[in-house]
Amino acid sequence: MNKKPFSDESLNRIIKYLVIIILGFGIMLLAIQFGDFWNWILRAIKAVIVPIGVAYLGALIIFPLIKYLEKKGIGPRGFSLGLVFVLTVGLIFSAFYFLTPLIVNEIKNFFIDDFQIIVDYINNDLRNEFIFGADLYDRLLAYINETNIIADTVDTFVPNLILSLTNLLLPLLTAIALLPILLIFYLNDYEVISERIRSIIPAKHEKNVAELTSRLNVTVGAYLRGQLILMISLGAVATVVYKLIGLKYYFLFGFLVGITNIIPYFGMIIAAIPPIIYTFIATSGPGPLLVLVVNVILQFFEGNIFQPLIMSHQLSIHPIVIIISILFFGSLFGALGVIFASPIAASIRVIYRFFSDLRKEKLKTTQAEASAP
Amino acid sequence: MIKKERPKIYTKFEIDSVTFYATMILFIPLVLVFTYVFDIETIIDTNLFLIILSIITAVITIIGTTILLIKKDSLKRQVKTNYIYEFYYLVAIVVFGILGFVVLFDYLGGDRTYIANILILLVVIFVYILLKFGSKFFNFDYRKKK
């Protein structure tokens, strides 16, 4: 007798998945027809989600500190919260107060002292020092002049940039304005809010959802804290090293290293480009090779000392996975996707591991039940 | 039968002593790293600043040693299987401390041409010390770690 290629059970399952996929496409098609309506709804949701999301991420960073204080007997919650809050606000304020004038000063000095030199270099000397030869430079210049490519790019890029900035600015400003209030309430009633959210979930799934949420909170919290420490440490080290080698705008370039380090692997490369270009053009200070060597060493220290030490082992994701997730989430969500690619990848891994553990546990229980007399 | 050598597990007192004295040795370089960024030499005379820092270091060392001696008995009763976080702390202060030593070299009028050489020398020395300390005191062998 011929064996059936599919059992009835697997056939049913295939049909079920096919129906789900077709229904999904149908819903998507229907949703596309009412694009304006969905945009309106999405804008409203975004206005709520952004401040709450930022407050949630802030709480993940701050809450362990409050818990630590409470563990040490510094309480009640209001007092420990107040203490941590005053400290955090004080730190942010003093960072702005001391660092902003330094950075502004360096930017101002750059435009006074070096901007004209760079413009002159591009207009006069670049042709002679062009790495592929003066002939290719002339052809490129002729092509640029002919096609008007720069003006066209600027014409399309600048309005797009302004539009995306305005779209991002309003929710961001609202989030910043609401953040302290939301954070205070959220941190004060952290357990109550978690309990309320948990009570919405059906009793059958409550335990599993609570476990998954707790694992996700730990992972994302550890990532955010680690990333923050990493950015500050690397920014500080880069600033000192840049100053030691005699780089002129060491504070600005060091700050850039700290900020861009929010993007794993690519951040350090992005931060290395401006000082290398600057030292290439500048007449005084260290050469571009030294700056390049310094950045390579910093990258080595970041990957081999800071990253493994600061980031906990649960976040040790393979570099290829991180790079793929940066490319994927970056193309999906833009700059925010690039920044949050690693925690999203880590969260996906946590979810996958959770369900894999769940399946193993279920299998074990089934086997134990089957073997029981 | 060859008996497998077990690593000695040190008490919290010994580990705290190591981290505290390491911090005190690196205290001046650690402060210098941050003051260097803010051009402290333009506000205060470097030599005077170094003297003040040395006095502060001495005072903190005396206070810390006293506290360690007072808490000696209770700390000697506390033992952990490994001291990874304490080791991480040590690595962090060493990284900034190395930079601080170079800043100190600069403040003391050293030739800037040799900064890279000094940096490499210091890194080699401190990495060796850290590896030794890690395996001896902190039960943390970097080479065996995945």
Side-chain angles (χ1 to χ4, degrees):
Chain A
M1 207 175 97
N2 279 344
K3 208 183 160 191
K4 270 187 183 177
F6 292 109
S7 68
D8 287 350
E9 201 184 320
S10 40
L11 207 64
N12 273 343
R13 205 182 300 149
I14 292 168
I15 292 169
K16 194 174 89 181
Y17 287 139
L18 272 174
V19 168
I20 290 171
I21 291 167
I22 292 165
L23 264 176
F25 276 125
I27 291 167
M28 271 167 71
L29 198 72
L30 208 67
I32 291 165
Q33 306 302 315
F34 301 101
D36 289 342
F37 172 74
W38 290 114
N39 276 341
W40 180 60
I41 296 278
L42 276 175
R43 260 205 304 274
I45 293 172
K46 207 172 154 189
V48 178
I49 289 285
V50 172
I52 288 181
V54 175
Y56 166 71
L57 295 178
L60 283 181
I61 298 171
I62 297 174
F63 191 67
L65 258 175
I66 294 170
K67 276 304 237 190
Y68 176 78
L69 287 180
E70 283 180 350
K71 216 170 108 186
K72 291 275 167 194
I74 302 167
R77 172 62 59 87
F79 182 68
S80 53
L81 171 63
L83 203 68
V84 171
F85 207 76
V86 168
L87 266 173
T88 314
V89 171
L91 263 173
I92 294 170
F93 180 76
S94 30
F96 267 102
Y97 185 79
F98 289 111
L99 301 188
T100 316
L102 282 169
I103 293 166
V104 171
N105 219 16
E106 288 202 347
I107 293 172
K108 223 190 284 174
N109 286 344
F110 170 76
F111 278 103
I112 294 168
D113 301 336
D114 288 298
F115 186 68
Q116 198 50 47
I117 298 172
I118 292 169
V119 172
D120 289 344
Y121 175 82
I122 293 168
N123 287 336
N124 307 320
D125 303 329
L126 186 62
R127 187 180 177 276
N128 300 330
E129 287 175 18
F130 194 59
I131 198 161
F132 299 111
D135 186 42
L136 192 70
Y137 178 85
D138 289 336
R139 282 188 197 182
L140 274 174
L141 200 68
Y143 175 76
I144 289 167
N145 289 335
E146 225 171 80
T147 53
N148 218 10
I149 194 167
I150 293 176
D152 287 349
T153 315
V154 170
D155 281 351
T156 50
F157 178 72
V158 172
N160 279 343
L161 185 76
I162 292 168
L163 191 74
S164 58
L165 274 179
T166 8
N167 279 343
L168 192 78
L169 209 66
L170 196 68
L172 203 71
L173 282 177
T174 322
I176 290 167
L178 285 174
L179 189 64
I181 305 158
L182 280 173
L183 256 181
I184 288 173
F185 285 118
Y186 190 47
L187 287 169
N188 199 39
D189 299 323
Y190 193 85
E191 287 91 350
V192 180
I193 292 170
S194 305
E195 200 60 43
R196 287 272 162 83
I197 294 169
R198 205 196 272 190
S199 68
I200 304 167
I201 300 153
K204 203 172 99 182
H205 302 294
E206 195 187 324
K207 196 185 145 212
N208 286 341
V209 173
E211 170 68 19
L212 181 63
T213 319
S214 143
R215 283 195 199 181
L216 282 173
N217 279 353
V218 169
T219 309
V220 178
Y223 175 82
L224 289 173
R225 279 189 299 276
Q227 195 62 42
L228 205 67
I229 298 170
L230 202 64
M231 284 166 69
I232 296 169
S233 317
L234 263 169
V237 170
T239 309
V240 175
V241 176
Y242 282 159
K243 194 183 175 189
L244 278 171
I245 60 168
L247 193 63
K248 199 172 172 189
Y249 303 108
Y250 59 90
F251 210 92
L252 190 64
F253 292 135
F255 184 74
L256 204 66
V257 170
I259 288 290
T260 53
N261 207 59
I262 202 163
I263 311 162
Y265 302 104
F266 295 107
M268 283 294 286
I269 300 166
I270 297 167
I273 296 167
I276 291 171
I277 293 175
Y278 170 73
T279 45
F280 193 78
I281 296 169
T283 43
S284 60
L289 195 67
L290 184 60
V291 179
L292 182 72
V293 169
V294 162
N295 275 287
V296 170
I297 294 170
L298 277 176
Q299 177 85 53
F300 173 81
F301 271 90
E302 192 229 346
N304 293 286
I305 293 178
F306 286 107
Q307 193 107 28
L309 288 185
I310 294 168
M311 296 284 184
S312 51
H313 292 293
Q314 57 195 320
L315 288 167
S316 54
I317 310 166
H318 198 278
I320 292 177
V321 178
I322 291 185
I323 291 166
I324 290 171
S325 53
I326 288 171
L327 296 173
F328 180 70
F329 293 112
S331 61
L332 264 187
F333 308 116
L336 279 179
V338 171
I339 292 166
F340 289 106
S342 306
I344 295 172
S347 304
I348 291 170
R349 200 177 68 158
V350 168
I351 294 167
Y352 171 74
R353 282 216 176 145
F354 174 77
F355 282 109
S356 153
D357 289 350
L358 211 66
R359 209 169 44 237
K360 273 182 205 159
E361 214 175 280
K362 224 177 194 174
L363 204 72
K364 232 184 244 175
T365 325
T366 325
Q367 276 171 351
E369 274 171 7
S371 62
Chain B
M1 204 174 89
I2 304 162
K3 213 177 167 186
K4 202 182 168 190
E5 201 185 313
R6 272 193 180 180
K8 190 189 168 190
I9 295 171
Y10 289 87
T11 63
K12 193 121 190 346
F13 173 72
E14 282 143 341
I15 299 301
D16 280 359
S17 302
V18 170
T19 46
F20 174 69
Y21 289 112
T23 312
M24 284 303 104
I25 291 166
L26 296 169
F27 186 73
I28 295 177
L30 280 171
V31 176
L32 288 184
V33 166
F34 295 100
T35 52
Y36 185 64
V37 176
F38 294 100
D39 289 326
I40 200 83
E41 68 270 17
T42 56
I43 305 163
I44 185 171
D45 179 50
T46 329
N47 292 335
L48 181 69
F49 185 62
L50 285 175
I51 290 168
I52 293 169
L53 263 183
S54 310
I55 294 166
I56 293 170
T57 313
V59 171
I60 298 173
T61 312
I62 293 164
I63 295 169
T65 310
T66 319
I67 293 169
L68 271 176
L69 288 174
I70 291 166
K71 286 181 143 188
K72 188 179 177 182
D73 289 336
S74 90
L75 286 173
K76 277 213 160 183
R77 284 194 293 273
Q78 295 172 34
V79 178
K80 286 203 296 188
T81 47
N82 61 46
Y83 295 91
I84 285 176
Y85 287 107
E86 286 81 355
F87 185 65
Y88 287 171
Y89 166 76
L90 205 64
V91 173
I93 61 164
V94 162
V95 168
F96 284 101
I98 292 170
L99 287 176
F101 274 119
V102 182
V103 174
L104 191 66
F105 172 79
D106 192 35
Y107 273 166
L108 295 175
D111 191 343
R112 277 198 166 200
T113 327
Y114 301 116
I115 275 180
N117 308 49
I118 287 165
L119 203 61
I120 291 164
L121 195 72
L122 282 173
V123 168
V124 171
I125 293 168
F126 275 104
V127 166
Y128 179 76
I129 294 171
L130 272 178
L131 287 176
K132 282 281 165 201
F133 267 52
S135 59
K136 187 172 165 58
F137 291 103
F138 298 89
N139 200 9
F140 180 89
D141 198 337
Y142 186 79
R143 287 159 296 186
K144 276 185 192 166
K145 220 165 165 286
K146 201 199 126 212

